[in-house]
Each structure stands twice: as structure tokens, then as C-alpha cells.
Amino acid sequence: MADIKFEIQETVGTVSQSQKGWTKELNLISWNGKAPKYDLRDWAPEHEKMGKGVTLSVEELKALRDLLNEMEL
């Protein structure tokens, strides 16, 4: 499996933190040198490991925001 290169360009915020110190974060990340996208996933402390996540374009993030705003929570 090829190495995945990433650069966190902006940390938007942390959604939660587990007892083991992993954090679920929303970040703006450039994957393998491509244009940055918004990314929601779990990260180990110091970002040395990552869990599976969801990567969204600006348009997709806006659509998600609109869906969440319509929900009664």
C-alpha cells in the first residue's frame, strides 16, 4: 500500500475526544498534494495515526450544514 501524504492546512475544530486521547476533528487537509478539502476523522495524539473519515468539498460541506440546520436536535 502506498504512503498517503497529507498536510493539515487549517484546524477548524475538535468534535470529541476519547478516553485514549484520540480526537474527532474537522480539518482542511491537502491529500497527496491535491487541492485541500474538509475532512472529518479520528486522529491519534500528535496526528501520527488516523481513523477512517469523510472528506468533503466546500459545496458538500455547505449541503451538510444545510441538512443539519434543518434537523431538530
Side-chain angles (χ1 to χ4, degrees):
M1 184 173 181
D3 285 334
I4 298 172
K5 295 180 180 10
F6 67 92
E7 178 185 352
I8 299 175
Q9 297 190 345
E10 178 186 348
T11 299
V12 177
T14 300
V15 176
S16 63
Q17 183 171 353
S18 74
Q19 291 180 346
K20 293 185 178 184
W22 282 60
T23 54
K24 187 176 306 291
E25 301 177 13
L26 178 63
N27 296 306
L28 185 63
I29 300 180
S30 172
W31 295 98
N32 296 318
K34 295 181 181 175
K37 291 191 175 187
Y38 288 93
D39 186 86
L40 181 64
R41 73 179 60 242
D42 291 326
W43 290 93
E46 308 302 322
H47 296 108
E48 71 274 9
K49 292 182 182 179
M50 68 184 88
K52 292 182 180 179
V54 176
T55 301
L56 303 165
S57 68
V58 172
E59 294 79 18
E60 291 169 327
L61 188 62
K62 286 179 181 179
L64 177 60
R65 176 200 59 200
D66 294 344
L67 288 171
L68 292 173
N69 284 336
E70 292 175 9
M71 294 176 65
E72 290 188 36
L73 300 173

